[in-house]
Amino acid sequence: MSRIEVDTTRLPLLLGDLRLPAIGRFWLEIAERSDREGWPAARFLATLAELEVAERAQRRIERHLAEARLPLDKTLDSFDFTHVPMLSRARVAAIAAGDAWLSKGDNLLLFGPPGSGKTHISAAIGRALVETGYRVLFTRTTDLVQRLQAARQQLALEAAITKLDRYDLLVLDDLSYVRKDQAETSVLFELIGKRYERRSMLITANQPFAEWNKVFPDPAMTIAAVDRLVHHAVVIEMNVHSYRQKAATTRKNRGASIRSDNQNTDAAISQQNANKTLASDNLVRQSSHPSAAESPS
Ligand code: ADP
Ligand code: MG
C-alpha cells in the first residue's frame, strides 16, 4: 500500500465530504479517550462507526415522524385502556410492534361512536410504529380524497397512489365523513384496490360498513371495497361512550341531573351501536370472508 499523507487538520472537511456528521462531532473526544486508555485502533474506529449509525437511525425516525403528520400528544402512554375494555394493552402492543400484519399488508379497522378514542389510539399506534422504524402517514380521509382528486384532475392519480406505497401504513381517519355527493370518491376505491394484500391501512369510522353506501358511488363499489378491506383485517368495534363526555362528567363531580342525562344518552348509544353492529355483521357475511373479524395473531 502506498504511503498516505495524513493531515488531521483536514479531518472536519473530509468527514463533511463523506457526510459523517456524528463522527465529525465526536472524533476528537473519542480520539482523546482512545489515546488515554490505549484502545486498539479497531475499537476506536468501531466506536465512531457505531455512533454514526445510531445517529443516522435517530435522524431517520425524526424524518419519518415529521412526514407522518400524526396529531401531537396522542400516545399509548396517555391512552386510558380501562375506558375501552375490548382493547387490551397487550393486544395494542402487539399491533404497535408491526411485524406480521404490516409485512402481509393486513388492515386494521376501528369502529366506534364519536369520542370513543379512535383517533387517539390510531395516532398512538402510528407513532409507536414510526418509532419502531416503519413509515406511516396519518391523514383525515377527506383530506386524502381531496389530494387524490386533485391528482386525478392532473392525470396523475396512478403516480400519487404509487407514491403512497412508501408508507407501510396509511391511517385513514374518519372514513365515514367522506360523502360521495361532495366528491368523486372512486379515488378511494382505487387506493384500496392498489394497496390490497400489499400495503396496510388503518381505517377509523363511526359506523361499521352499513353506512358506507354513502361513501362510495354505488353499492357494488361499496361491497367490493369492504370485501378487499376485510379480507385480511382485524376489526375492532370500540362500542364505548365518549371519553370527552366521561371527562366532562368527572369534572362536574357527577351531579345527579348529569348522571341521569348520561344514562339516557348511554341507553340511546347502546341501542344505536347494537343496530350498527348487526348491520355490519350482515355486510361482512355478505362479503363471504368468515375470518374477517378474527383477533390478531
Ligand atoms: P374519536 O376519534 O373516536 O371521535 P378521539 O380519539 O378524538 O375520539 O377522542 C376524543 C378525546 O378524548 C381526545 O382528546 C382523546 O385524546 C381523548 N380520549 C379518548 N379516548 C381516550 C382514552 N381511552 N384515554 C385517554 N384519552 C382518550
Ligand atoms: Mg376521531
Side-chain angles (χ1 to χ4, degrees):
M1 202 166 92
S2 64
R3 199 163 172 278
I4 302 171
E5 280 303 319
V6 177
D7 174 5
T8 53
T9 58
R10 273 172 40 81
L11 246 183
L13 198 75
L14 295 172
L15 293 171
D17 276 357
L18 292 169
R19 297 199 166 67
L20 297 169
I23 296 184
R25 279 203 320 293
F26 290 111
W27 74 268
L28 189 56
E29 181 189 329
I30 304 289
E32 282 170 0
R33 184 162 166 216
S34 169
D35 290 344
R36 220 171 36 242
E37 298 178 10
W39 290 3
R43 177 174 172 191
F44 170 68
L45 186 59
T47 304
L48 289 180
E50 292 282 359
L51 275 170
E52 188 65 48
V53 167
E55 201 178 271
R56 210 168 270 192
Q58 188 54 39
R59 277 201 307 272
R60 192 183 315 119
I61 286 174
E62 278 162 20
R63 243 186 0 258
H64 292 172
L65 266 180
E67 77 179 2
R69 298 165 180 275
L70 292 155
L72 298 172
D73 308 328
K74 307 299 180 198
T75 63
L76 291 176
D77 283 345
S78 62
F79 192 77
D80 173 8
F81 282 92
T82 61
H83 186 68
V84 195
M86 62 287 284
L87 199 60
S88 74
R89 189 184 287 274
R91 191 177 186 194
V92 171
I95 292 169
D99 304 337
W101 71 289
L102 290 184
S103 67
K104 288 184 290 180
D106 290 359
N107 298 317
L108 178 58
L109 307 176
L110 294 182
F111 300 119
S116 56
K118 303 179 299 297
T119 298
H120 189 138
I121 196 67
S122 48
I125 289 170
R127 184 170 295 272
L129 287 171
V130 172
E131 283 164 0
T132 310
Y134 292 100
R135 290 179 78 177
V136 173
L137 178 68
F138 182 101
T139 172
R140 280 189 302 203
T141 315
T142 47
D143 291 348
L144 186 69
V145 165
Q146 270 174 23
R147 250 173 71 186
L148 293 179
Q149 279 167 342
R152 162 172 279 171
Q153 276 154 21
Q154 292 156 19
L155 305 177
L157 179 62
E158 180 74 23
I161 289 179
T162 302
K163 222 170 150 192
L164 295 171
D165 269 357
R166 75 174 85 156
Y167 299 109
D168 300 287
L169 178 69
L170 273 189
V171 183
L172 303 189
D173 198 23
D174 282 326
L175 181 112
S176 39
Y177 288 173
V178 176
R179 285 289 175 265
K180 64 184 168 193
D181 48 320
Q182 276 172 8
E184 170 61 73
T185 51
S186 59
V187 289
L188 195 55
F189 183 75
E190 289 182 40
L191 174 71
I192 291 167
K194 181 78 191 295
R195 287 183 82 87
Y196 177 57
E197 292 193 320
R198 292 190 316 112
R199 293 306 229 178
S200 297
M201 289 196 274
L202 192 174
I203 293 181
T204 78
N206 291 335
Q207 288 101 10
F209 314 106
E211 301 239 336
W212 288 20
N213 269 325
K214 292 184 185 151
V215 173
F216 292 98
D218 61 69
M221 206 182 264
T222 308
I223 301 266
V226 170
D227 196 49
R228 282 167 179 73
L229 285 175
V230 302
H231 187 189
H232 306 283
V234 171
V235 179
I236 299 173
E237 300 214 20
M238 299 166 63
N239 285 330
V240 295
H241 310 299
S242 169
Y243 192 85
R244 292 187 197 97
Q245 200 178 335
K246 175 182 156 171
T249 313
T250 311
R251 274 199 303 276
K252 286 185 183 164
N253 218 7
R254 293 204 177 87
S257 63
I258 292 170
R259 198 158 50 228
S260 73
D261 273 5
N262 280 348
Q263 276 161 1
N264 292 339
T265 321
D266 286 0
I269 291 177
S270 302
Q271 188 52 50
Q272 252 179 345
N273 286 337
N275 295 343
K276 284 173 194 157
T277 306
L278 263 179
S280 77
D281 282 354
N282 287 339
L283 232 150
V284 172
R285 246 178 255 122
Q286 268 174 30
S287 80
S288 79
H289 292 298
S291 64
E294 77 195 7
S295 34
S297 45

